[in-house]
Amino acid sequence: LGFLSAGAMLNAIHEKNIDLARDQNPLTRLPGNRLINDIIAKRLDDRGRPSALMYFDIDNFKPFNDRYGFRVGDRAIMLFSDLLWTTAAEHGLFCGHIGGDDFFAAGDCGPEKAEEIITMLRKLIEDFSESAKMLFSEEERKQGYYDSHTREGQPKRFPLLTVSAVLILVQSRAPLFADEMARLSAALKAKAKNSEERLAWLVI
């Protein structure tokens, strides 16, 4: 088609890097909502490509943040971000930071890989729950809970930090839309938070 000069190539790379930097979460440096939404839209549009869409939410993060302050809250977010990034790199997945304590990952996932993804998610949940114990005092670790307040300001005991994960395996060739994914992920998130293993999945 033609030739690019070295200068034009460097300018194009520079502009691309600036564009990516604008969308990065300032705390975790992971891609933000714009790129996440692009990934979801492309995977839903490619109906012949089985995909795994994964959503993560640190459980009871607000009372934890209220109890220990935003600096320790940021440490919890970074702790999960680092674990997610490492896991995603090992399994060839894209991962991003939706915002706050909400994260996202996506990758190819045919029927033969579904079990591998589920096993990966179980390990990620376990690794975070174990690593997050260092954010609590020795007494709290022994007790298995900490004291904070509900959104209504009522005192309550909360379990030590965990994370809930939602897995949507997209294998349908029918038209699918991002709004449908948002509704499904919200319903599955509630199911995951009420389950013992903190994981819920659905094949569509």
Side-chain angles (χ1 to χ4, degrees):
L1 294 177
F3 296 92
L4 272 178
S5 68
M9 179 72 77
L10 290 173
N11 285 337
I13 293 171
H14 180 64
E15 289 175 9
K16 182 70 173 176
N17 287 338
I18 289 176
D19 194 40
L20 288 172
R22 285 196 192 104
D23 191 48
Q24 281 182 344
N25 183 280
L27 175 63
T28 62
R29 301 298 182 190
L30 292 179
N33 277 320
R34 186 175 59 81
L35 188 51
I36 289 171
N37 290 332
D38 286 347
I39 292 287
I40 293 172
K42 286 175 182 176
R43 287 193 167 270
L44 294 181
D45 191 51
D46 191 351
R47 299 175 200 170
R49 184 184 186 187
S51 296
L53 304 180
M54 290 155 275
Y55 300 83
F56 305 90
D57 184 2
I58 298 176
D59 297 322
N60 299 312
F61 182 74
K62 186 180 186 306
F64 175 82
N65 207 44
D66 290 344
R67 169 71 174 80
Y68 297 100
F70 74 91
R71 290 186 183 277
V72 181
D74 284 353
R75 285 177 63 194
I77 288 172
M78 284 302 301
L79 179 60
F80 181 75
S81 170
D82 290 345
L83 287 170
L84 178 61
W85 187 89
T86 301
T87 300
E90 289 174 354
H91 293 267
L93 305 173
F94 164 87
C95 68
H97 189 172
I98 296 171
D101 59 313
D102 292 299
F103 292 82
F104 173 81
D108 293 335
C109 186
E112 72 287 345
K113 197 176 179 183
E115 191 58 42
E116 176 188 331
I117 294 289
I118 291 171
T119 300
M120 177 203 78
L121 292 175
R122 285 178 174 143
K123 184 176 186 304
L124 179 59
I125 293 168
E126 181 182 349
D127 287 349
F128 175 72
S129 300
E130 190 62 32
S131 298
K133 289 178 181 178
M134 70 179 185
L135 301 173
F136 298 92
S137 68
E138 184 178 352
E139 182 181 357
E140 288 166 332
R141 289 196 295 270
K142 288 178 180 177
Q143 294 171 164
Y145 65 82
Y146 65 98
D147 295 311
S148 188
H149 292 82
T150 65
R151 292 179 182 273
E152 293 73 32
Q154 298 299 315
K156 183 179 177 181
R157 287 178 173 173
F158 292 89
L160 303 186
L161 279 188
T162 58
V163 64
S164 291
V166 165
L167 168 63
I168 301 177
L169 296 167
V170 182
Q171 298 178 356
S172 172
R173 293 182 180 272
L176 296 166
F177 302 97
D179 288 347
E180 294 177 71
M181 291 299 104
R183 286 192 292 270
L184 280 173
S185 66
L188 287 170
K189 186 185 294 184
K191 183 178 178 182
K193 286 180 177 292
N194 289 319
S195 72
E196 187 174 339
E197 65 174 354
R198 302 287 175 176
L199 173 62
W201 67 86
L202 178 69
V203 180
I204 58 174

